[in-house]
Each structure stands twice: as structure tokens, then as C-alpha cells.
């Protein structure tokens, strides 16, 4: 039964079987036996096929490891070289704060004053050349804006003595006598200065009246003087 | 004595070698099996040098492990089992190498077999080239099928013997042989036509 079954199966591939049977026979080498017996006598029993095609992952990765090691070494060497000698082409120039034109005063000034000579006709019909200074301001966007230069003195005449006197009398603004909250610390503004406390004394009506009378007399005398002077 | 040994069967020779450590018995067995084993291993791995090494290793294993042979089995099946296992190990090793390597040799075989214009008709009739084409086609067949087809159709073993060599059931052997033959026939279609 089995034999018939096999025969049926094999008749299907008769041609193929014939082709395979006709294949030339591969024989062992002539010195096969000699080599084998030599190995046995020398007790070389390690596998030849295993030895020949011994494949390990380490062996496969050997070239990659070598390349990796070389890359690491070269990277370290290049890094060290970079730290010693700087490539001038790869360095970003530093912004130097010293010696710039701005600090040396070589830059153009932001402000400059130009005095223009203007001829004016006075009451005497005589031409007078008056110089009026003009101040020019160079803004951030390089736009030049002109502004009239103010003369430091309000009038043509100036009382130098009073100016000097006022500067002498001028109190110390930062002293304790300056009243708090009395406005900006501006020399030109009218300030109220603290002059100290007065000690209180008992007054009588007589004293007050006498003071009033004195004051009244003074005011009358001054008004009379003024009228006379007017006349 | 040597003359007497030549007259002995394989099983008697190995018995002699096992019992008396007669090296002549071993040598006679080597002489008897070196060619069929080389043919089988070459058809299985597709490389002459590798197949020679595998057969040498098979004989060394036989020499070292003679006592592992049991008298109830046929010597031929036992020695073919050793050779088959070594050949399979070699193929596995090669497969691992192919996966990891960039170049795959099997691609060349596919191109050469399937391209009908590769060989001129008069050239393809030449037996040596035909043999080469068949060998390449055999290498395209899965190793599990290839092994049983070779044992059956080239080495001429019976299904029972193949079952013993491969340690498979007869049913599995039969189905594998059929699948292997079908694969091979598909690959060799153009040669059959010619």
C-alpha cells in the first residue's frame, strides 16, 4: 500500500528525478584520506569548517570599531589644537569698548551751535549786525533739528552785583532747613525756607495795638513819600 | 585480515572498529563513504571546499564518537545524520553572515536561473552548464526541503531511511520531498522544456 502510494507521488516528478539522477557525481579529493589520517595521527580534531568560517559579531564589527577609535582620537587631537591655536578666520571679532571713535571724541558732536550774523535796523536807521546763535541737534535718526540758542541773560543789560550777591546769599538747598515738599530742587524757583521756630511769648492788647500803630505809621509815611515823588 | 575486512558490511566494520579499535576498519568505511558524503554535502551547501571540510569533520566525529553508534541502526543513516547536521550548521552560519553583510550571493542565482535569455539554447544543452544551473536551482530550494530531496533523488535513500536520518516522521518526509520537488521543478521549468 505504502509502496504504491510512494510510486504515485514519484511518478509526478519523473522527469525531475531523472534530471537529478543524471547530475555528475562530486567525489572527494584524492588526498582526502591522507589528510584525514594525518589529522587523526596529529590529533588535530578541531572542526575545520567551523575554524574556516568562524564568524563572530566582534569580528564583523572590528573595522567599525577601528574607524570609531580613529574618529575619537582625531576629534580629541583637533579639539586640543583648537584650544591652542585659534583659527583667525573662524573667530568672531569682539566688540571693543576701548579706543572706539566715540570714546576718543572723534565722532561728530550731537549738538553744535552756529552763530549767524543778522542785520537789523535800529531806531537810528543805522545797520547793526547782531549775531544770533543757533543750536543744531543731530537726532538718533540723523535728522538735524535746529533750535534757537537762548541767550543766557534775559536782557541786554545785566546787573552783575546783584547776581553775585544772590549767589552768595543763596542758601544750601540740601541743608535741613529746606522744607520738605516745597517743590523741585530748582535754583530758579521761588522757595520757602524754614527759618526756625519762634518762642511764644504772652502778648497783651497794648503790645499788639502799639505794633499796629507803628505799622500804620510806617505805611502812611511811605505812601506820602510816594505821592510826593510822583508829583 | 584486511582482505576479510573488505568483505564485511558497514555495520560489521564499525563493530570491529568499536570492539577492537581496528583502524583498518575505519579506513575502509572512510573509503566507502567519502564520495557519496562529499556529493551529498556539496549539493546541500553548494561549495566544494566547504563540503570537503564538512566531510572531513564528519569522519573525525565518527572516529571520536564511534561508541555513540548503536548496532540497531544502519551505519549509512548514522554517518549521513552527522554530515547533514554539520552541513545545516554551516548553512545557518552562512545565513547569519548574509544577513549582516551588504552583499547577498543568492541574488545572483535568482537572476541567472530565471532569465531565459541568459544561456543560448545550444549552450544550455551542455551537461556541465545544465548541472550548474540545477545546482543553483537546488540552492534556491529551502534547506529543509533540499535535504530530503537530495537524500531521496540523488543519494537514493528510502523514505524510512530519510525519516531516520532527519529524525522526522515519514509523513513529514513525504510532504517535504513533494514540496521540494515542486519548488525545484518551478525553478527548472525552462530546462525541462528544452
Amino acid at each position: 500500500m505504502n509502496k504504491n502510494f510512494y510510486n504515485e507521488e514519484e511518478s509526478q516528478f519523473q522527469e525531475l528525478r531523472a534530471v537529478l539522477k543524471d547530475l555528475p557525481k562530486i567525489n572527494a579529493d584524492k588526498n582526502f584520506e591522507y589528510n584525514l589520517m594525518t589529522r587523526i595521527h596529529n590529533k588535530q580534531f578541531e572542526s575545520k569548517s567551523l575554524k574556516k568560517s568562524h564568524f563572530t559579531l566582534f569580528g564583523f564589527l572590528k573595522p567599525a570599531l577601528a574607524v570609531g577609535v580613529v574618529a575619537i582620537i582625531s576629534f580629541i587631537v583637533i579639539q586640543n589644537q583648537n584650544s591652542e591655536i585659534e583659527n583667525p578666520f573662524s573667530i568672531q571679532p569682539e566688540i571693543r569698548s576701548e579706543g572706539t571713535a566715540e570714546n576718543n571724541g572723534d565722532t561728530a558732536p550731537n549738538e553744535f551751535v552756529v552763530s549767524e550774523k543778522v542785520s537789523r535796523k535800529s531806531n537810528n536807521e543805522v545797520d547793526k549786525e547782531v549775531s544770533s546763535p543757533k543750536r543744531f541737534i543731530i537726532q538718533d535718526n540723523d535728522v538735524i533739528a535746529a533750535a534757537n540758542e537762548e541767550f543766557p541773560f534775559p536782557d541786554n543789560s545785566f546787573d552783575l552785583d546783584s547776581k553775585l550777591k544772590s549767589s552768595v546769599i543763596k542758601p544750601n538747598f540740601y541743608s535741613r532747613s529746606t522744607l520738605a515738599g516745597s517743590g523741585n530742587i530748582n535754583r530758579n524757583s521761588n522757595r520757602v525756607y524754614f527759618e526756625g521756630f519762634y518762642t511764644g511769648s504772652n502778648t497783651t492788647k497794648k503790645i499788639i495795638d502799639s505794633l499796629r500803630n507803628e505799622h500804620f505809621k510806617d505805611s502812611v509815611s511811605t505812601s506820602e513819600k510816594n505821592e510826593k515823588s510822583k508829583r | 585480515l584486511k582482505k576479510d575486512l573488505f568483505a564485511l558490511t558497514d555495520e560489521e566494520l564499525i563493530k570491529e572498529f568499536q570492539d577492537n579499535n581496528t583502524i583498518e576498519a575505519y579506513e575502509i568505511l572512510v573509503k566507502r563513504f567519502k564520495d557519496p558524503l562529499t556529493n551529498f554535502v556539496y549539493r546541500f551547501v553548494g561549495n566544494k571546499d566547504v563540503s570537503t571540510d564538512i566531510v572531513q569533520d564528519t569522519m573525525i566525529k565518527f572516529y571520536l564518537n564511534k561508541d555513540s553508534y548503536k548496532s540497531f541502526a544502519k551505519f549509512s543513516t548514522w554517518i549521513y545524520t552527522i554530515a547533514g547536521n554539520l552541513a545545516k550548521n554551516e548553512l545557518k552560519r552562512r545565513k547569519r553572515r548574509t544577513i549582516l553583510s551588504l552583499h547577498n550571493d543568492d541574488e545572483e542565482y535568482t537572476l541567472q536561473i530565471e532569465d531565459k535569455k541568459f544561456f543560448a539554447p545550444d549552450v544550455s544543452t551542455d551537461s556541465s552548464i545544465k548541472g550548474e544551473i540545477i545546482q543553483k536551482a537546488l540552492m534556491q530550494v529551502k534547506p529543509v526541503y533540499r535535504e530530503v530531496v537530495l537524500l531521496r533523488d540523488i543519494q537514493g535513500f528510502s523514505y524510512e531511511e530519510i525519516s531516520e536520518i532527519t529524525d522526522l516522521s515519514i509523513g513529514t518526509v513525504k510532504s517535504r520531498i513533494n514540496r521540494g520537488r515542486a519548488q525545484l521543478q518551478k525553478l527548472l521549468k525552462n530546462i525541462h522544456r528544452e
Side-chain angles (χ1 to χ4, degrees), chain B residues 10-36:
Chain B
D10 300 337
E11 288 73 30
E12 285 168 342
L13 281 168
I14 190 154
K15 186 91 173 65
E16 177 64 28
F17 182 48
Q18 279 177 332
D19 294 344
N20 305 316
N21 204 19
T22 315
I23 198 76
E24 286 81 8
Y26 172 75
E27 282 175 353
I28 292 165
L29 282 169
V30 168
K31 221 169 242 173
R32 281 184 191 176
F33 282 91
K34 64 173 182 171
D35 288 337

mmCIF file of all heavy atoms in Angstrom, chain B residues 10-36:
data_model
loop_
_atom_site.group_PDB
_atom_site.id
_atom_site.type_symbol
_atom_site.label_atom_id
_atom_site.label_comp_id
_atom_site.label_asym_id
_atom_site.label_seq_id
_atom_site.Cartn_x
_atom_site.Cartn_y
_atom_site.Cartn_z
ATOM 1 N N ASP B 10 28.984 -2.573 6.357
ATOM 2 C CA ASP B 10 29.287 -1.336 7.092
ATOM 3 C C ASP B 10 29.122 -1.543 8.595
ATOM 4 O O ASP B 10 29.953 -1.098 9.398
ATOM 5 C CB ASP B 10 28.352 -0.207 6.633
ATOM 6 C CG ASP B 10 28.484 0.086 5.154
ATOM 7 O OD1 ASP B 10 29.544 -0.239 4.572
ATOM 8 O OD2 ASP B 10 27.536 0.662 4.589
ATOM 9 N N GLU B 11 28.061 -2.191 8.958
ATOM 10 C CA GLU B 11 27.737 -2.399 10.365
ATOM 11 C C GLU B 11 28.761 -3.329 11.043
ATOM 12 O O GLU B 11 29.136 -3.114 12.193
ATOM 13 C CB GLU B 11 26.326 -2.981 10.518
ATOM 14 C CG GLU B 11 25.202 -1.989 10.225
ATOM 15 C CD GLU B 11 25.058 -1.670 8.742
ATOM 16 O OE1 GLU B 11 25.356 -2.522 7.890
ATOM 17 O OE2 GLU B 11 24.646 -0.525 8.435
ATOM 18 N N GLU B 12 29.240 -4.287 10.280
ATOM 19 C CA GLU B 12 30.252 -5.208 10.816
ATOM 20 C C GLU B 12 31.593 -4.486 10.996
ATOM 21 O O GLU B 12 32.311 -4.711 11.970
ATOM 22 C CB GLU B 12 30.420 -6.406 9.870
ATOM 23 C CG GLU B 12 29.263 -7.388 9.952
ATOM 24 C CD GLU B 12 29.274 -8.415 8.815
ATOM 25 O OE1 GLU B 12 29.944 -8.196 7.789
ATOM 26 O OE2 GLU B 12 28.594 -9.433 8.947
ATOM 27 N N LEU B 13 31.861 -3.616 10.035
ATOM 28 C CA LEU B 13 33.114 -2.849 10.112
ATOM 29 C C LEU B 13 33.136 -1.913 11.316
ATOM 30 O O LEU B 13 34.131 -1.839 12.040
ATOM 31 C CB LEU B 13 33.318 -2.038 8.830
ATOM 32 C CG LEU B 13 33.853 -2.795 7.617
ATOM 33 C CD1 LEU B 13 33.724 -1.947 6.371
ATOM 34 C CD2 LEU B 13 35.301 -3.233 7.813
ATOM 35 N N ILE B 14 32.038 -1.266 11.531
ATOM 36 C CA ILE B 14 32.019 -0.343 12.687
ATOM 37 C C ILE B 14 32.055 -1.127 13.991
ATOM 38 O O ILE B 14 32.638 -0.678 14.985
ATOM 39 C CB ILE B 14 30.827 0.653 12.642
ATOM 40 C CG1 ILE B 14 31.053 1.707 13.735
ATOM 41 C CG2 ILE B 14 29.466 0.007 12.739
ATOM 42 C CD1 ILE B 14 30.471 3.000 13.576
ATOM 43 N N LYS B 15 31.479 -2.300 13.963
ATOM 44 C CA LYS B 15 31.516 -3.167 15.163
ATOM 45 C C LYS B 15 32.968 -3.553 15.456
ATOM 46 O O LYS B 15 33.397 -3.518 16.618
ATOM 47 C CB LYS B 15 30.663 -4.414 14.897
ATOM 48 C CG LYS B 15 30.492 -5.330 16.068
ATOM 49 C CD LYS B 15 29.232 -4.927 16.847
ATOM 50 C CE LYS B 15 28.900 -5.928 17.944
ATOM 51 N NZ LYS B 15 29.875 -6.001 19.003
ATOM 52 N N GLU B 16 33.664 -3.874 14.385
ATOM 53 C CA GLU B 16 35.088 -4.214 14.514
ATOM 54 C C GLU B 16 35.884 -3.028 15.059
ATOM 55 O O GLU B 16 36.739 -3.186 15.935
ATOM 56 C CB GLU B 16 35.611 -4.642 13.126
ATOM 57 C CG GLU B 16 37.087 -4.954 13.043
ATOM 58 C CD GLU B 16 37.501 -6.160 13.905
ATOM 59 O OE1 GLU B 16 36.651 -7.050 14.138
ATOM 60 O OE2 GLU B 16 38.660 -6.202 14.357
ATOM 61 N N PHE B 17 35.572 -1.861 14.521
ATOM 62 C CA PHE B 17 36.262 -0.642 14.956
ATOM 63 C C PHE B 17 35.919 -0.313 16.411
ATOM 64 O O PHE B 17 36.798 0.078 17.200
ATOM 65 C CB PHE B 17 35.879 0.520 14.019
ATOM 66 C CG PHE B 17 36.549 1.826 14.333
ATOM 67 C CD1 PHE B 17 37.926 1.914 14.561
ATOM 68 C CD2 PHE B 17 35.816 3.006 14.392
ATOM 69 C CE1 PHE B 17 38.529 3.126 14.829
ATOM 70 C CE2 PHE B 17 36.418 4.228 14.670
ATOM 71 C CZ PHE B 17 37.781 4.273 14.896
ATOM 72 N N GLN B 18 34.699 -0.522 16.780
ATOM 73 C CA GLN B 18 34.266 -0.247 18.162
ATOM 74 C C GLN B 18 34.917 -1.232 19.140
ATOM 75 O O GLN B 18 35.410 -0.842 20.196
ATOM 76 C CB GLN B 18 32.739 -0.336 18.270
ATOM 77 C CG GLN B 18 32.017 0.911 17.814
ATOM 78 C CD GLN B 18 30.510 0.747 17.867
ATOM 79 O OE1 GLN B 18 29.982 -0.374 17.730
ATOM 80 N NE2 GLN B 18 29.809 1.847 18.049
ATOM 81 N N ASP B 19 34.878 -2.472 18.771
ATOM 82 C CA ASP B 19 35.322 -3.508 19.706
ATOM 83 C C ASP B 19 36.846 -3.597 19.801
ATOM 84 O O ASP B 19 37.405 -3.641 20.892
ATOM 85 C CB ASP B 19 34.759 -4.884 19.282
ATOM 86 C CG ASP B 19 33.232 -4.926 19.408
ATOM 87 O OD1 ASP B 19 32.686 -4.010 20.106
ATOM 88 O OD2 ASP B 19 32.592 -5.802 18.821
ATOM 89 N N ASN B 20 37.509 -3.608 18.647
ATOM 90 C CA ASN B 20 38.955 -3.849 18.638
ATOM 91 C C ASN B 20 39.763 -2.613 18.270
ATOM 92 O O ASN B 20 40.989 -2.708 18.152
ATOM 93 C CB ASN B 20 39.285 -4.997 17.668
ATOM 94 C CG ASN B 20 38.492 -6.255 18.000
ATOM 95 O OD1 ASN B 20 38.370 -6.635 19.172
ATOM 96 N ND2 ASN B 20 37.924 -6.872 16.983
ATOM 97 N N ASN B 21 39.088 -1.526 18.049
ATOM 98 C CA ASN B 21 39.749 -0.273 17.649
ATOM 99 C C ASN B 21 40.630 -0.489 16.404
ATOM 100 O O ASN B 21 41.738 0.051 16.298
ATOM 101 C CB ASN B 21 40.565 0.298 18.817
ATOM 102 C CG ASN B 21 40.768 1.803 18.700
ATOM 103 O OD1 ASN B 21 40.036 2.464 17.971
ATOM 104 N ND2 ASN B 21 41.761 2.323 19.383
ATOM 105 N N THR B 22 40.068 -1.287 15.469
ATOM 106 C CA THR B 22 40.796 -1.599 14.244
ATOM 107 C C THR B 22 40.733 -0.401 13.303
ATOM 108 O O THR B 22 39.659 -0.072 12.771
ATOM 109 C CB THR B 22 40.187 -2.848 13.554
ATOM 110 O OG1 THR B 22 39.949 -3.852 14.547
ATOM 111 C CG2 THR B 22 41.083 -3.396 12.461
ATOM 112 N N ILE B 23 41.897 0.197 13.109
ATOM 113 C CA ILE B 23 41.944 1.426 12.285
ATOM 114 C C ILE B 23 41.670 1.100 10.811
ATOM 115 O O ILE B 23 41.152 1.944 10.070
ATOM 116 C CB ILE B 23 43.297 2.174 12.488
ATOM 117 C CG1 ILE B 23 43.202 3.646 12.010
ATOM 118 C CG2 ILE B 23 44.447 1.465 11.799
ATOM 119 C CD1 ILE B 23 42.472 4.506 12.973
ATOM 120 N N GLU B 24 41.986 -0.136 10.418
ATOM 121 C CA GLU B 24 41.725 -0.550 9.022
ATOM 122 C C GLU B 24 40.230 -0.557 8.725
ATOM 123 O O GLU B 24 39.802 -0.155 7.640
ATOM 124 C CB GLU B 24 42.315 -1.942 8.733
ATOM 125 C CG GLU B 24 43.814 -1.994 8.586
ATOM 126 C CD GLU B 24 44.527 -2.033 9.950
ATOM 127 O OE1 GLU B 24 43.836 -2.165 10.983
ATOM 128 O OE2 GLU B 24 45.753 -1.907 9.978
ATOM 129 N N ALA B 25 39.472 -0.979 9.678
ATOM 130 C CA ALA B 25 38.003 -0.972 9.520
ATOM 131 C C ALA B 25 37.497 0.459 9.337
ATOM 132 O O ALA B 25 36.642 0.737 8.489
ATOM 133 C CB ALA B 25 37.360 -1.620 10.737
ATOM 134 N N TYR B 26 38.082 1.320 10.114
ATOM 135 C CA TYR B 26 37.721 2.753 10.000
ATOM 136 C C TYR B 26 38.082 3.278 8.609
ATOM 137 O O TYR B 26 37.289 3.968 7.965
ATOM 138 C CB TYR B 26 38.433 3.540 11.099
ATOM 139 C CG TYR B 26 38.302 5.050 10.968
ATOM 140 C CD1 TYR B 26 37.117 5.700 11.297
ATOM 141 C CD2 TYR B 26 39.362 5.808 10.488
ATOM 142 C CE1 TYR B 26 37.010 7.075 11.166
ATOM 143 C CE2 TYR B 26 39.256 7.184 10.356
ATOM 144 C CZ TYR B 26 38.077 7.819 10.697
ATOM 145 O OH TYR B 26 37.965 9.177 10.545
ATOM 146 N N GLU B 27 39.292 2.931 8.157
ATOM 147 C CA GLU B 27 39.758 3.404 6.846
ATOM 148 C C GLU B 27 38.861 2.889 5.711
ATOM 149 O O GLU B 27 38.589 3.624 4.758
ATOM 150 C CB GLU B 27 41.201 2.949 6.615
ATOM 151 C CG GLU B 27 42.220 3.800 7.356
ATOM 152 C CD GLU B 27 43.656 3.283 7.225
ATOM 153 O OE1 GLU B 27 43.860 2.176 6.664
ATOM 154 O OE2 GLU B 27 44.555 3.974 7.715
ATOM 155 N N ILE B 28 38.423 1.665 5.817
ATOM 156 C CA ILE B 28 37.536 1.092 4.786
ATOM 157 C C ILE B 28 36.199 1.837 4.749
ATOM 158 O O ILE B 28 35.684 2.179 3.684
ATOM 159 C CB ILE B 28 37.340 -0.425 5.017
ATOM 160 C CG1 ILE B 28 38.665 -1.177 4.747
ATOM 161 C CG2 ILE B 28 36.241 -1.002 4.130
ATOM 162 C CD1 ILE B 28 38.690 -2.604 5.281
ATOM 163 N N LEU B 29 35.701 2.136 5.928
ATOM 164 C CA LEU B 29 34.431 2.898 5.993
ATOM 165 C C LEU B 29 34.601 4.300 5.403
ATOM 166 O O LEU B 29 33.701 4.793 4.695
ATOM 167 C CB LEU B 29 33.947 2.982 7.442
ATOM 168 C CG LEU B 29 33.273 1.718 7.999
ATOM 169 C CD1 LEU B 29 33.077 1.832 9.503
ATOM 170 C CD2 LEU B 29 31.938 1.449 7.324
ATOM 171 N N VAL B 30 35.734 4.902 5.690
ATOM 172 C CA VAL B 30 36.009 6.238 5.109
ATOM 173 C C VAL B 30 36.033 6.133 3.595
ATOM 174 O O VAL B 30 35.451 6.968 2.895
ATOM 175 C CB VAL B 30 37.334 6.806 5.677
ATOM 176 C CG1 VAL B 30 37.786 8.027 4.884
ATOM 177 C CG2 VAL B 30 37.198 7.167 7.150
ATOM 178 N N LYS B 31 36.722 5.122 3.097
ATOM 179 C CA LYS B 31 36.825 4.927 1.639
ATOM 180 C C LYS B 31 35.437 4.736 1.014
ATOM 181 O O LYS B 31 35.162 5.253 -0.070
ATOM 182 C CB LYS B 31 37.702 3.688 1.379
ATOM 183 C CG LYS B 31 38.656 3.880 0.228
ATOM 184 C CD LYS B 31 39.663 2.759 0.175
ATOM 185 C CE LYS B 31 41.063 3.329 0.376
ATOM 186 N NZ LYS B 31 42.095 2.313 0.514
ATOM 187 N N ARG B 32 34.609 3.997 1.683
ATOM 188 C CA ARG B 32 33.266 3.712 1.150
ATOM 189 C C ARG B 32 32.359 4.961 1.136
ATOM 190 O O ARG B 32 31.558 5.126 0.226
ATOM 191 C CB ARG B 32 32.584 2.627 1.989
ATOM 192 C CG ARG B 32 33.045 1.235 1.655
ATOM 193 C CD ARG B 32 32.260 0.217 2.466
ATOM 194 N NE ARG B 32 32.873 -1.113 2.355
ATOM 195 C CZ ARG B 32 32.445 -2.172 3.017
ATOM 196 N NH1 ARG B 32 31.412 -2.065 3.845
ATOM 197 N NH2 ARG B 32 33.032 -3.351 2.866
ATOM 198 N N PHE B 33 32.498 5.800 2.133
ATOM 199 C CA PHE B 33 31.519 6.886 2.290
ATOM 200 C C PHE B 33 32.026 8.287 1.919
ATOM 201 O O PHE B 33 31.232 9.226 1.872
ATOM 202 C CB PHE B 33 30.990 6.912 3.739
ATOM 203 C CG PHE B 33 29.973 5.846 4.002
ATOM 204 C CD1 PHE B 33 30.359 4.600 4.471
ATOM 205 C CD2 PHE B 33 28.628 6.062 3.738
ATOM 206 C CE1 PHE B 33 29.427 3.599 4.695
ATOM 207 C CE2 PHE B 33 27.690 5.059 3.954
ATOM 208 C CZ PHE B 33 28.084 3.818 4.437
ATOM 209 N N LYS B 34 33.322 8.404 1.657
ATOM 210 C CA LYS B 34 33.849 9.756 1.406
ATOM 211 C C LYS B 34 33.208 10.396 0.156
ATOM 212 O O LYS B 34 32.846 11.577 0.172
ATOM 213 C CB LYS B 34 35.380 9.750 1.287
ATOM 214 C CG LYS B 34 35.915 8.957 0.122
ATOM 215 C CD LYS B 34 37.410 9.110 -0.067
ATOM 216 C CE LYS B 34 37.843 8.309 -1.295
ATOM 217 N NZ LYS B 34 39.188 8.518 -1.706
ATOM 218 N N ASP B 35 33.041 9.608 -0.930
ATOM 219 C CA ASP B 35 32.484 10.180 -2.166
ATOM 220 C C ASP B 35 30.980 10.466 -2.072
ATOM 221 O O ASP B 35 30.552 11.575 -2.417
ATOM 222 C CB ASP B 35 32.792 9.265 -3.358
ATOM 223 C CG ASP B 35 34.275 9.326 -3.733
ATOM 224 O OD1 ASP B 35 34.914 10.360 -3.394
ATOM 225 O OD2 ASP B 35 34.804 8.368 -4.312
ATOM 226 N N PRO B 36 30.172 9.492 -1.650
ATOM 227 C CA PRO B 36 28.737 9.817 -1.528
ATOM 228 C C PRO B 36 28.454 10.954 -0.546
ATOM 229 O O PRO B 36 27.582 11.794 -0.799
ATOM 230 C CB PRO B 36 28.092 8.507 -1.063
ATOM 231 C CG PRO B 36 29.183 7.604 -0.681
ATOM 232 C CD PRO B 36 30.432 8.099 -1.336
#
